[in-house]
């Protein structure tokens, strides 16, 4: 007769062996899974694009263009003063450099007269125009000049002084065009007679008719 315990020994051993195998296999799978998850993947570094010339920094925006204000124009003209040459009166040019707002004959000549009336003198040259005289206006084009002076222009002095100051006005007014015509007025009225001796003033006056009237060479 067989022992029942002996009959159950083999099946129990087989089951135990299979359980151990399954545990071992399961443990291996678990270890492989964990090992796979813990593997550090290589870091992918994206290359930084090289900057193109001028792209590294943005230039500062330029300021809006400014409206250019009209500048001054530099002009050189001649003002005339008188000089005693061997007892005779002579009109001597003095070049002056002026800064004016525009290259217009009237503007340039008005600035020239203001410089003349500022009484620039030296030991050899002087002005016969009375010091209080003012230039009221000067209008001009390429051939004609209109000069308006204050009433002080007609005061003081004898005939020689009157001729001297008249010549100063005519020669200075025609410094841009020696052949130009000059109209002279005093306080807005045409100047026909100058001084108490009745010096006639040609209208228009030119260098040519002034020199012919007073017999200058």
């Amino acid at each position: 007769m067989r022992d029942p315990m002996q009959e159950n020994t083999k099946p129990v051993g087989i089951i135990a062996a299979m359980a151990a195998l399954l545990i071992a296999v399961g443990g291996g799978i678990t270890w492989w899974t964990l090992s796979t998850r813990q593997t550090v993947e290589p870091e992918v570094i994206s290359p930084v694009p090289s900057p193109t010339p001028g792209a590294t920094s943005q230039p500062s925006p330029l300021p809006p263009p400014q409206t250019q204000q009209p500048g001054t124009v530099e002009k050189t003209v001649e003002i005339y003063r008188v000089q005693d040459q061997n007892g005779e009166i002579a009109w001597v040019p003095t070049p002056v450099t002026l800064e004016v707002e525009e290259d217009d004959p009237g503007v340039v000549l008005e600035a020239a007269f203001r410089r003349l009336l500022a009484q620039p003198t030296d030991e050899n040259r002087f002005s016969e125009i009375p010091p209080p005289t003012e230039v009221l206006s000067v209008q001009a084009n390429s051939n004609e000049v209109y000069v308006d002076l204050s009433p002080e222009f007609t005061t003081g002095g004898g005939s020689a002084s009157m001729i001297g100051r008249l010549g100063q006005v005519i020669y200075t007014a025609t410094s841009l065009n020696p052949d130009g015509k000059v109209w002279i007025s005093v306080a807005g009225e045409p100047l026909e007679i100058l001084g108490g001796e009745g010096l006639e003033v040609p209208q228009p006056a030119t260098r040519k008719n002034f020199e012919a009237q007073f017999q200058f060479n």
Side-chain angles (χ1 to χ4, degrees):
M1 184 175 177
R2 297 181 179 179
D3 187 352
M5 295 295 296
Q6 292 181 352
E7 291 182 355
N8 294 333
T9 299
K10 291 181 180 181
V12 172
I14 293 172
I15 293 172
M18 292 180 65
L21 180 60
L22 291 176
I23 292 173
V25 172
I29 293 172
T30 301
W31 175 85
W32 180 82
T33 302
L34 293 176
S35 298
T36 302
R37 290 181 178 179
Q38 293 177 357
T39 300
V40 178
E41 296 181 357
E43 181 180 0
V44 178
I45 301 176
S46 301
V48 178
S50 300
T52 57
T56 54
S57 61
Q58 296 295 327
S60 300
L62 296 176
Q66 298 180 354
T67 303
Q68 184 176 0
Q69 299 296 326
T72 58
V73 179
E74 193 173 88
K75 297 290 292 185
T76 299
V77 297
E78 293 177 336
I79 60 174
Y80 282 77
R81 294 176 292 173
V82 297
Q83 186 179 61
D84 186 353
Q85 295 181 352
N86 299 323
E88 294 185 358
I89 189 171
W91 290 266
V92 183
T94 300
V96 293
T97 300
L98 308 170
E99 289 188 356
V100 295
E101 294 182 355
E102 56 180 311
D103 187 7
D104 176 80
V107 175
V108 175
L109 289 176
E110 183 171 346
F113 271 100
R114 294 189 185 282
R115 181 68 63 89
L116 176 63
L117 297 180
Q119 303 297 319
T121 61
D122 55 40
E123 59 183 7
N124 296 319
R125 304 174 185 182
F126 58 95
S127 177
E128 288 287 2
I129 301 175
T133 303
E134 298 179 356
V135 57
L136 302 180
S137 68
V138 177
Q139 299 179 8
N141 53 40
S142 59
N143 297 313
E144 300 174 335
V145 182
Y146 298 83
V147 182
D148 190 21
L149 301 170
S150 64
E152 291 82 2
F153 179 75
T154 63
T155 61
S159 60
S161 176
M162 296 296 176
I163 294 172
R165 70 186 70 173
L166 183 60
Q168 285 184 262
V169 172
I170 294 173
Y171 282 107
T172 300
T174 56
S175 59
L176 297 179
N177 178 12
D179 296 324
K181 300 176 181 180
V182 184
W183 280 263
I184 304 173
S185 60
V186 173
E189 296 295 330
L191 179 63
E192 298 176 351
I193 303 296
L194 180 60
E197 298 182 9
L199 182 67
E200 293 185 5
V201 179
Q203 297 279 10
T206 65
R207 291 188 182 191
K208 185 176 181 179
N209 64 22
F210 174 74
E211 293 168 0
Q213 181 175 353
F214 298 102
Q215 298 181 357
F216 295 114
N217 296 326

